[in-house]
Amino acid sequence: HAPIIIPAVLRVEIPYRPLFYAHLLLLHLSLATRIAGDLLLEPALRRWGGLFNALAILLFLVVTLAPWSRVARLVLPSRLAAGQTGKVPG
């Protein structure tokens, strides 16, 4: 649900790219590796699975926020010039 929440919170559209599936694939493979490590009683497999799980999360952040940084450079200056700060009144 993060690909929906992050653009909503940042108030920008993040264009779809096929690369968005890379972190999902890595996440599933890392989970399978961790499960195999548990079933085979191999702590090294569990550690590798945990490492790849963390890398999948980092990859998700990079792939999700990289297009936003490009969009932000184009959109935010025009919003600021128009007086739209993105702050919620209250």
Side-chain angles (χ1 to χ4, degrees), residues 21-82:
Y21 284 105
H23 61 83
L24 184 62
L25 177 64
L26 184 58
L27 184 66
H28 284 98
L29 290 174
S30 68
L31 178 61
T33 303
R34 290 174 62 197
I35 291 171
D38 279 341
L39 294 175
L40 298 172
L41 301 174
E42 289 288 338
L45 275 178
R46 282 189 298 153
R47 275 181 281 191
W48 279 107
L51 174 67
F52 286 122
N53 190 269
L55 289 175
I57 294 169
L58 290 174
L59 181 62
F60 163 74
L61 291 173
V62 168
V63 168
T64 301
L65 297 178
W68 178 79
S69 67
R70 278 181 253 144
V71 169
R73 277 186 253 133
L74 298 173
V75 173
L76 289 181
S78 62
R79 282 188 184 176
L80 291 175

